[in-house]
Amino acid sequence: MSVATVRPVVQRTSRYPRSLEVPVQTINLYLAIIISNYCAFCFGICVGWSNPAEWRILKHNIYKFKPTKDQWELISSFLPLGVLVCCLPMAALMKYQGCKSLMYIQGMCGAAVCQAVPIYLNEISQRKYRGLVGSLYYGAILYGIIYNHVLMEHIRMQTLHIVNLLLALLFGFLWIIPDSPFYYASVHKSKKARLALIWLRGKQHNVEDELKTMVVLVDNELDPTKDWWQSFKFSIRVSIIIRSTVLMIIHYLGGGLIVLMYMDNLLKELAEKKDYLTYLWVLCCSMVLGHLICVLLVDRIGRRPLLMVSTLILIICSLYLSCWFQLAGSNFQTKFVIYLFVVAYTMGLGPLACLLNVELILPTVRPYGCAMSNLFAWLSVFFVIQWIFYRNYECIIFEFMVGVLLLSILFILIFLPETKRLSATEIQSKVHSSWMSYSSSDES
């Protein structure tokens, strides 16, 4: 299918039948959302472990061995490096085995969670609540990080490891939920897709229209005579993958590194030892507040307005904090700006980048599309960690973020369409229109 033939396909499949617009809220749907987000919560525990554990391990005899600073830096780089190595293999596994199989092995690979959980949440949710459900993924990671920081302040490290091991046993509940209905439709298992939809929507809900929409989309987009790369490399799809990749890079470099991986460093700069626990609780509450704002507003005002407001606040806060690092001052205004920075990131750029990364990509190419965006995003994280944090360039991190965020404003205005309550093909239609207008102006 060439770019010229995208518009007819979009016109045939862009409108959902009326029965799909009826909101469905069942216990099974809530259960699927909670269990899949539990995987993201455990991933957040892994992401948030190394930073608060660093000074406890390096300065106290918690273990019988004591790693050096260089050895610890190597350990901390394993997470982004592991995601880099496993992104594409996990995409292949998800393409042929579904999202649920990746959730089972997420203990081995963070790349599985980064790809499987957001896609699964998108494909089981209805359009009306897709933003709310999709933003819960990032919230679950945040709550895993908060859990780690809080428990490390109150229990011994060895006890925390035992508790985390017990939490891992709860992955057995994954067998309760079905795989994504779209996955079953994409591998031509219509009976299983129908059963999955009935399980999620309830027996009283008519799932036939929703199933037909999935089947039509699969028939239009998947060509059995082409391999994954041939079906992936249409110019319109490459354009979308590039947009998703840039968005995920902005997601991490525009504040994600600070909020997700180096919150403990920020607290040490901010607070004296005796006040550390107080500032920790206030910072955690700021994370929760920002995420709640996103959950409440994402399906009301849309993705783009929330993203723009969040990014503008982040720019202002980063400018102030870059001056703070140079002046080495810590006062009430500085603390307030840091809390505002965290609220702004967790209400917009944090959860919405993960949400839009899935929404922008057509469902038939999501496994490899999301893998590519996550691959390059984590590659940028790896290099920035090596360049800034391990070379003691922390003083320029906020100046670096100002540059990234200023570019992100232009990117949001020019390249990101609004996806609120749009079907996959309607989103492709909007992207196709902007792509064609850009190509026409370039040719003229």
Side-chain angles (χ1 to χ4, degrees), residues 137-191:
Y137 158 73
Y138 187 79
I141 293 177
L142 281 182
Y143 301 140
I145 294 171
I146 293 171
Y147 156 91
N148 229 357
H149 278 79
V150 172
L151 259 67
M152 277 192 187
E153 290 299 316
H154 294 90
I155 64 176
R156 296 170 62 247
M157 184 75 74
Q158 290 85 347
T159 307
L160 180 63
H161 294 332
I162 295 172
V163 172
N164 290 342
L165 185 62
L166 294 175
L167 289 178
L169 299 177
L170 297 178
F171 283 116
F173 285 105
L174 279 170
W175 70 269
I176 297 175
I177 63 176
D179 214 318
S180 161
F182 188 86
Y183 160 70
Y184 289 129
S186 67
V187 294
H188 306 292
K189 295 181 179 179
S190 298
K191 184 177 180 180

Side-chain angles (χ1 to χ4, degrees), residues 117-126 130 133-134 201 355 358-361 363 366:
V117 176
I119 292 177
Y120 182 79
L121 291 172
N122 181 279
E123 293 180 354
I124 67 171
S125 58
Q126 292 183 297
R130 193 176 61 215
V133 174
R201 307 287 186 250
L355 172 65
V358 177
E359 287 187 331
L360 289 174
I361 301 174
R366 270 178 191 158

Side-chain angles (χ1 to χ4, degrees), residues 335-347:
K335 297 177 179 65
F336 175 78
V337 169
I338 288 178
Y339 298 143
L340 183 62
F341 177 92
V342 172
V343 170
Y345 184 81
T346 53
M347 83 172 190

Side-chain angles (χ1 to χ4, degrees), residues 14-152:
S14 62
R15 292 293 176 188
Y16 276 14
R18 185 174 297 274
S19 62
L20 270 64
E21 303 292 342
V22 179
V24 175
Q25 298 176 357
T26 64
I27 295 177
N28 287 347
L29 180 60
Y30 293 143
L31 194 62
I33 293 170
I34 292 170
I35 292 176
S36 56
N37 276 308
Y38 179 74
C39 298
F41 173 81
C42 293
F43 180 58
I45 295 175
C46 298
V47 170
W49 178 82
S50 62
N51 191 230
E54 179 179 356
W55 70 272
R56 292 171 175 84
I57 292 175
L58 297 184
K59 296 183 179 180
H60 301 83
N61 295 321
I62 292 179
Y63 302 121
K64 293 181 179 179
F65 63 93
K66 189 174 181 180
T68 65
K69 180 70 174 177
D70 291 337
Q71 289 172 337
W72 186 259
E73 290 173 358
L74 182 63
I75 292 170
S76 299
S77 65
F78 281 162
L79 178 66
L81 196 60
V83 177
L84 282 174
V85 172
C86 297
C87 270
L88 290 178
M90 292 301 104
L93 184 61
M94 182 165 58
K95 178 74 173 177
Y96 298 105
Q97 298 297 325
C99 297
K100 189 175 174 180
S101 61
L102 262 68
M103 289 189 233
Y104 271 119
I105 66 168
Q106 73 102 23
M108 297 168 54
C109 175
V113 179
C114 293
Q115 295 166 214
V117 176
I119 292 177
Y120 182 79
L121 291 172
N122 181 279
E123 293 180 354
I124 67 171
S125 58
Q126 292 183 297
R127 288 191 295 173
K128 185 174 181 180
Y129 303 112
R130 193 176 61 215
L132 185 153
V133 174
S135 62
L136 292 177
Y137 158 73
Y138 187 79
I141 293 177
L142 281 182
Y143 301 140
I145 294 171
I146 293 171
Y147 156 91
N148 229 357
H149 278 79
V150 172
L151 259 67
M152 277 192 187

Side-chain angles (χ1 to χ4, degrees), residues 173-414:
F173 285 105
L174 279 170
W175 70 269
I176 297 175
I177 63 176
D179 214 318
S180 161
F182 188 86
Y183 160 70
Y184 289 129
S186 67
V187 294
H188 306 292
K189 295 181 179 179
S190 298
K191 184 177 180 180
K192 286 189 174 182
R194 182 181 291 104
L195 291 174
L197 283 171
I198 292 173
W199 191 89
L200 292 166
R201 307 287 186 250
K203 294 181 180 179
Q204 72 283 359
H205 186 75
N206 179 18
V207 301
E208 294 304 320
D209 292 333
E210 191 172 356
L211 180 61
K212 288 177 184 176
T213 303
M214 294 180 187
V215 172
V216 169
L217 182 60
V218 169
D219 291 341
N220 284 336
E221 295 295 330
L222 289 183
D223 186 346
T225 64
K226 297 179 180 179
D227 59 23
W228 72 271
W229 176 248
Q230 288 176 316
S231 63
F232 174 80
K233 63 181 182 180
F234 297 129
S235 59
I236 183 65
R237 293 179 183 173
V238 172
S239 164
I240 293 170
I241 301 302
I242 292 173
R243 295 178 198 215
S244 295
T245 301
V246 173
L247 183 61
M248 290 305 294
I249 291 173
I250 293 171
H251 163 74
Y252 287 112
L253 303 190
L257 278 175
I258 296 294
V259 175
L260 292 180
M261 305 181 76
Y262 290 96
M263 186 173 73
D264 206 62
N265 289 28
L266 197 62
L267 285 170
K268 288 187 176 69
E269 293 282 349
L270 186 67
E272 297 178 3
K273 188 174 181 180
K274 62 179 181 178
D275 298 323
Y276 176 85
L277 195 58
T278 302
Y279 288 118
L280 173 63
W281 278 106
V282 176
L283 202 61
C284 291
C285 290
S286 301
M287 289 184 172
V288 175
L289 174 62
H291 182 246
L292 288 177
I293 292 172
C294 177
V295 168
L296 293 173
L297 297 181
V298 64
D299 284 321
R300 288 179 169 84
I301 68 173
R303 283 65 159 157
R304 271 171 55 103
L306 201 55
L307 201 55
M308 284 294 297
V309 171
S310 165
T311 307
L312 288 172
I313 297 174
L314 287 172
I315 291 173
I316 296 170
C317 293
S318 298
L319 282 170
Y320 181 92
L321 293 172
S322 63
C323 298
W324 168 61
F325 262 107
Q326 293 175 8
L327 299 175
S330 179
N331 50 38
F332 174 78
Q333 291 88 346
T334 302
K335 297 177 179 65
F336 175 78
V337 169
I338 288 178
Y339 298 143
L340 183 62
F341 177 92
V342 172
V343 170
Y345 184 81
T346 53
M347 83 172 190
L349 188 57
L352 295 183
C354 299
L355 172 65
L356 287 167
N357 180 44
V358 177
E359 287 187 331
L360 289 174
I361 301 174
L362 201 66
T364 50
V365 293
R366 270 178 191 158
Y368 289 106
C370 290
M372 297 292 286
S373 60
N374 280 298
L375 173 67
F376 287 105
W378 281 98
L379 184 64
S380 67
V381 168
F382 178 76
F383 282 120
V384 169
I385 289 175
Q386 299 298 320
W387 174 54
I388 292 181
F389 291 101
Y390 294 164
R391 296 182 184 273
N392 297 318
Y393 294 158
E394 291 95 334
C395 58
I396 68 167
I397 183 64
F398 287 106
E399 296 175 2
F400 173 77
M401 284 166 50
V402 169
V404 172
L405 292 166
L406 285 173
L407 292 175
S408 70
I409 289 289
L410 297 175
F411 176 77
I412 294 167
L413 288 173
I414 298 172

